[in-house]
Amino acid sequence: MIEGAREAVVEYRWRYQDEQGREMDGPAELFADQGEAEDWFSASWEALAAAGVSQVTLLRSESEVYGPMSLSPVE
């Protein structure tokens, strides 16, 4: 590595949206890797849905990894 150069920091986070697809506030959690982000979501999705979040998208830095993913039960 070149002296003084820094490695790019890659962080994962969730984008929260309402039923109309508008972004909304939610927990500002940052994760070191995708697995950590998914584990957190697995334990938190019910509380997010109860708070009015309708769908989420997983972001890696500012790029979409996947989503939007609905939090509504499958009928």
Side-chain angles (χ1 to χ4, degrees):
M1 184 190 302
I2 299 173
E3 188 174 325
R6 296 189 319 175
E7 290 185 38
V9 175
V10 176
E11 296 174 326
Y12 288 81
R13 67 181 178 88
W14 293 98
R15 177 189 305 147
Y16 311 103
Q17 297 174 308
D18 64 16
E19 286 183 1
Q20 290 74 38
R22 294 181 300 237
E23 286 194 38
M24 58 186 295
D25 291 333
E29 300 286 335
L30 297 175
F31 307 95
D33 60 51
Q34 184 172 339
E36 189 179 318
E38 290 169 340
D39 288 346
W40 177 87
F41 175 75
S42 181
S44 304
W45 75 270
E46 291 176 298
L48 293 170
V53 176
S54 294
Q55 59 189 23
V56 295
T57 299
L58 181 61
L59 302 173
R60 179 179 184 251
S61 294
E62 292 304 315
S63 299
E64 291 184 4
V65 176
Y66 60 79
M69 180 173 58
S70 175
L71 300 188
S72 299
V74 177
E75 293 183 22

PDB file of all heavy atoms in Angstrom, residues 57-73:
ATOM      1  N   THR A  57     -34.179  -1.618   1.725  1.00  0.00           N
ATOM      2  CA  THR A  57     -33.182  -1.917   0.703  1.00  0.00           C
ATOM      3  C   THR A  57     -31.830  -1.957   1.399  1.00  0.00           C
ATOM      4  O   THR A  57     -31.518  -1.073   2.199  1.00  0.00           O
ATOM      5  CB  THR A  57     -33.175  -0.830  -0.397  1.00  0.00           C
ATOM      6  OG1 THR A  57     -34.463  -0.794  -1.013  1.00  0.00           O
ATOM      7  CG2 THR A  57     -32.104  -1.101  -1.448  1.00  0.00           C
ATOM      8  N   LEU A  58     -31.048  -2.988   1.103  1.00  0.00           N
ATOM      9  CA  LEU A  58     -29.704  -3.078   1.660  1.00  0.00           C
ATOM     10  C   LEU A  58     -28.750  -2.321   0.754  1.00  0.00           C
ATOM     11  O   LEU A  58     -28.738  -2.524  -0.458  1.00  0.00           O
ATOM     12  CB  LEU A  58     -29.257  -4.542   1.782  1.00  0.00           C
ATOM     13  CG  LEU A  58     -27.863  -4.751   2.383  1.00  0.00           C
ATOM     14  CD1 LEU A  58     -27.779  -4.196   3.809  1.00  0.00           C
ATOM     15  CD2 LEU A  58     -27.486  -6.225   2.359  1.00  0.00           C
ATOM     16  N   LEU A  59     -27.963  -1.429   1.365  1.00  0.00           N
ATOM     17  CA  LEU A  59     -26.988  -0.625   0.632  1.00  0.00           C
ATOM     18  C   LEU A  59     -25.580  -0.997   1.050  1.00  0.00           C
ATOM     19  O   LEU A  59     -25.311  -1.254   2.235  1.00  0.00           O
ATOM     20  CB  LEU A  59     -27.211   0.863   0.905  1.00  0.00           C
ATOM     21  CG  LEU A  59     -28.588   1.420   0.575  1.00  0.00           C
ATOM     22  CD1 LEU A  59     -28.698   2.859   1.050  1.00  0.00           C
ATOM     23  CD2 LEU A  59     -28.863   1.323  -0.910  1.00  0.00           C
ATOM     24  N   ARG A  60     -24.687  -1.015   0.082  1.00  0.00           N
ATOM     25  CA  ARG A  60     -23.246  -1.169   0.322  1.00  0.00           C
ATOM     26  C   ARG A  60     -22.643   0.154  -0.088  1.00  0.00           C
ATOM     27  O   ARG A  60     -22.639   0.499  -1.263  1.00  0.00           O
ATOM     28  CB  ARG A  60     -22.670  -2.295  -0.520  1.00  0.00           C
ATOM     29  CG  ARG A  60     -21.176  -2.490  -0.330  1.00  0.00           C
ATOM     30  CD  ARG A  60     -20.699  -3.658  -1.197  1.00  0.00           C
ATOM     31  NE  ARG A  60     -19.300  -3.917  -0.963  1.00  0.00           N
ATOM     32  CZ  ARG A  60     -18.340  -3.649  -1.842  1.00  0.00           C
ATOM     33  NH1 ARG A  60     -18.628  -3.118  -3.011  1.00  0.00           N
ATOM     34  NH2 ARG A  60     -17.091  -3.918  -1.547  1.00  0.00           N
ATOM     35  N   SER A  61     -22.172   0.917   0.882  1.00  0.00           N
ATOM     36  CA  SER A  61     -21.837   2.322   0.678  1.00  0.00           C
ATOM     37  C   SER A  61     -23.113   2.976   0.147  1.00  0.00           C
ATOM     38  O   SER A  61     -24.103   2.962   0.841  1.00  0.00           O
ATOM     39  CB  SER A  61     -20.624   2.481  -0.226  1.00  0.00           C
ATOM     40  OG  SER A  61     -19.474   1.959   0.425  1.00  0.00           O
ATOM     41  N   GLU A  62     -23.147   3.450  -1.071  1.00  0.00           N
ATOM     42  CA  GLU A  62     -24.384   4.043  -1.605  1.00  0.00           C
ATOM     43  C   GLU A  62     -24.994   3.209  -2.724  1.00  0.00           C
ATOM     44  O   GLU A  62     -25.971   3.612  -3.342  1.00  0.00           O
ATOM     45  CB  GLU A  62     -24.133   5.473  -2.082  1.00  0.00           C
ATOM     46  CG  GLU A  62     -23.819   6.439  -0.949  1.00  0.00           C
ATOM     47  CD  GLU A  62     -24.888   6.482   0.135  1.00  0.00           C
ATOM     48  OE1 GLU A  62     -26.096   6.544  -0.193  1.00  0.00           O
ATOM     49  OE2 GLU A  62     -24.522   6.441   1.322  1.00  0.00           O
ATOM     50  N   SER A  63     -24.430   2.027  -2.998  1.00  0.00           N
ATOM     51  CA  SER A  63     -24.939   1.155  -4.057  1.00  0.00           C
ATOM     52  C   SER A  63     -25.932   0.157  -3.480  1.00  0.00           C
ATOM     53  O   SER A  63     -25.715  -0.396  -2.395  1.00  0.00           O
ATOM     54  CB  SER A  63     -23.789   0.383  -4.705  1.00  0.00           C
ATOM     55  OG  SER A  63     -22.863   1.266  -5.277  1.00  0.00           O
ATOM     56  N   GLU A  64     -27.012  -0.109  -4.222  1.00  0.00           N
ATOM     57  CA  GLU A  64     -28.000  -1.078  -3.777  1.00  0.00           C
ATOM     58  C   GLU A  64     -27.465  -2.494  -3.949  1.00  0.00           C
ATOM     59  O   GLU A  64     -26.974  -2.853  -5.011  1.00  0.00           O
ATOM     60  CB  GLU A  64     -29.295  -0.924  -4.568  1.00  0.00           C
ATOM     61  CG  GLU A  64     -30.031   0.355  -4.253  1.00  0.00           C
ATOM     62  CD  GLU A  64     -31.364   0.461  -4.976  1.00  0.00           C
ATOM     63  OE1 GLU A  64     -31.778  -0.489  -5.681  1.00  0.00           O
ATOM     64  OE2 GLU A  64     -31.996   1.520  -4.843  1.00  0.00           O
ATOM     65  N   VAL A  65     -27.556  -3.283  -2.880  1.00  0.00           N
ATOM     66  CA  VAL A  65     -27.200  -4.699  -2.934  1.00  0.00           C
ATOM     67  C   VAL A  65     -28.429  -5.476  -3.378  1.00  0.00           C
ATOM     68  O   VAL A  65     -28.380  -6.272  -4.306  1.00  0.00           O
ATOM     69  CB  VAL A  65     -26.700  -5.216  -1.567  1.00  0.00           C
ATOM     70  CG1 VAL A  65     -26.423  -6.709  -1.606  1.00  0.00           C
ATOM     71  CG2 VAL A  65     -25.464  -4.441  -1.137  1.00  0.00           C
ATOM     72  N   TYR A  66     -29.559  -5.229  -2.717  1.00  0.00           N
ATOM     73  CA  TYR A  66     -30.853  -5.758  -3.126  1.00  0.00           C
ATOM     74  C   TYR A  66     -31.971  -4.988  -2.473  1.00  0.00           C
ATOM     75  O   TYR A  66     -31.768  -4.291  -1.492  1.00  0.00           O
ATOM     76  CB  TYR A  66     -30.973  -7.266  -2.857  1.00  0.00           C
ATOM     77  CG  TYR A  66     -30.832  -7.705  -1.411  1.00  0.00           C
ATOM     78  CD1 TYR A  66     -31.884  -7.579  -0.505  1.00  0.00           C
ATOM     79  CD2 TYR A  66     -29.642  -8.259  -0.957  1.00  0.00           C
ATOM     80  CE1 TYR A  66     -31.760  -7.995   0.795  1.00  0.00           C
ATOM     81  CE2 TYR A  66     -29.506  -8.689   0.347  1.00  0.00           C
ATOM     82  CZ  TYR A  66     -30.571  -8.555   1.219  1.00  0.00           C
ATOM     83  OH  TYR A  66     -30.445  -8.966   2.525  1.00  0.00           O
ATOM     84  N   GLY A  67     -33.159  -5.159  -3.010  1.00  0.00           N
ATOM     85  CA  GLY A  67     -34.338  -4.473  -2.498  1.00  0.00           C
ATOM     86  C   GLY A  67     -34.960  -3.627  -3.574  1.00  0.00           C
ATOM     87  O   GLY A  67     -34.441  -3.573  -4.688  1.00  0.00           O
ATOM     88  N   PRO A  68     -36.058  -3.006  -3.281  1.00  0.00           N
ATOM     89  CA  PRO A  68     -36.712  -3.034  -1.964  1.00  0.00           C
ATOM     90  C   PRO A  68     -37.352  -4.382  -1.670  1.00  0.00           C
ATOM     91  O   PRO A  68     -37.818  -5.070  -2.561  1.00  0.00           O
ATOM     92  CB  PRO A  68     -37.750  -1.924  -2.069  1.00  0.00           C
ATOM     93  CG  PRO A  68     -38.028  -1.759  -3.526  1.00  0.00           C
ATOM     94  CD  PRO A  68     -36.775  -2.166  -4.235  1.00  0.00           C
ATOM     95  N   MET A  69     -37.345  -4.701  -0.390  1.00  0.00           N
ATOM     96  CA  MET A  69     -37.900  -5.944   0.115  1.00  0.00           C
ATOM     97  C   MET A  69     -39.047  -5.583   1.059  1.00  0.00           C
ATOM     98  O   MET A  69     -38.862  -4.851   2.031  1.00  0.00           O
ATOM     99  CB  MET A  69     -36.799  -6.713   0.853  1.00  0.00           C
ATOM    100  CG  MET A  69     -37.225  -8.006   1.436  1.00  0.00           C
ATOM    101  SD  MET A  69     -35.835  -8.961   2.113  1.00  0.00           S
ATOM    102  CE  MET A  69     -35.135  -7.845   3.322  1.00  0.00           C
ATOM    103  N   SER A  70     -40.220  -6.103   0.761  1.00  0.00           N
ATOM    104  CA  SER A  70     -41.414  -5.804   1.554  1.00  0.00           C
ATOM    105  C   SER A  70     -41.332  -6.438   2.932  1.00  0.00           C
ATOM    106  O   SER A  70     -40.825  -7.552   3.097  1.00  0.00           O
ATOM    107  CB  SER A  70     -42.653  -6.321   0.812  1.00  0.00           C
ATOM    108  OG  SER A  70     -43.800  -6.139   1.617  1.00  0.00           O
ATOM    109  N   LEU A  71     -41.898  -5.738   3.923  1.00  0.00           N
ATOM    110  CA  LEU A  71     -42.002  -6.285   5.272  1.00  0.00           C
ATOM    111  C   LEU A  71     -43.409  -6.809   5.534  1.00  0.00           C
ATOM    112  O   LEU A  71     -43.702  -7.282   6.628  1.00  0.00           O
ATOM    113  CB  LEU A  71     -41.644  -5.225   6.320  1.00  0.00           C
ATOM    114  CG  LEU A  71     -40.237  -4.633   6.233  1.00  0.00           C
ATOM    115  CD1 LEU A  71     -39.975  -3.760   7.440  1.00  0.00           C
ATOM    116  CD2 LEU A  71     -39.189  -5.683   6.100  1.00  0.00           C
ATOM    117  N   SER A  72     -44.282  -6.738   4.534  1.00  0.00           N
ATOM    118  CA  SER A  72     -45.657  -7.215   4.673  1.00  0.00           C
ATOM    119  C   SER A  72     -45.677  -8.733   4.607  1.00  0.00           C
ATOM    120  O   SER A  72     -44.921  -9.339   3.838  1.00  0.00           O
ATOM    121  CB  SER A  72     -46.537  -6.664   3.564  1.00  0.00           C
ATOM    122  OG  SER A  72     -46.574  -5.257   3.620  1.00  0.00           O
ATOM    123  N   PRO A  73     -46.571  -9.351   5.386  1.00  0.00           N
ATOM    124  CA  PRO A  73     -46.683 -10.816   5.331  1.00  0.00           C
ATOM    125  C   PRO A  73     -47.158 -11.269   3.944  1.00  0.00           C
ATOM    126  O   PRO A  73     -47.922 -10.565   3.284  1.00  0.00           O
ATOM    127  CB  PRO A  73     -47.726 -11.152   6.385  1.00  0.00           C
ATOM    128  CG  PRO A  73     -48.067  -9.884   7.081  1.00  0.00           C
ATOM    129  CD  PRO A  73     -47.461  -8.755   6.328  1.00  0.00           C
TER     130      PRO A  73
END
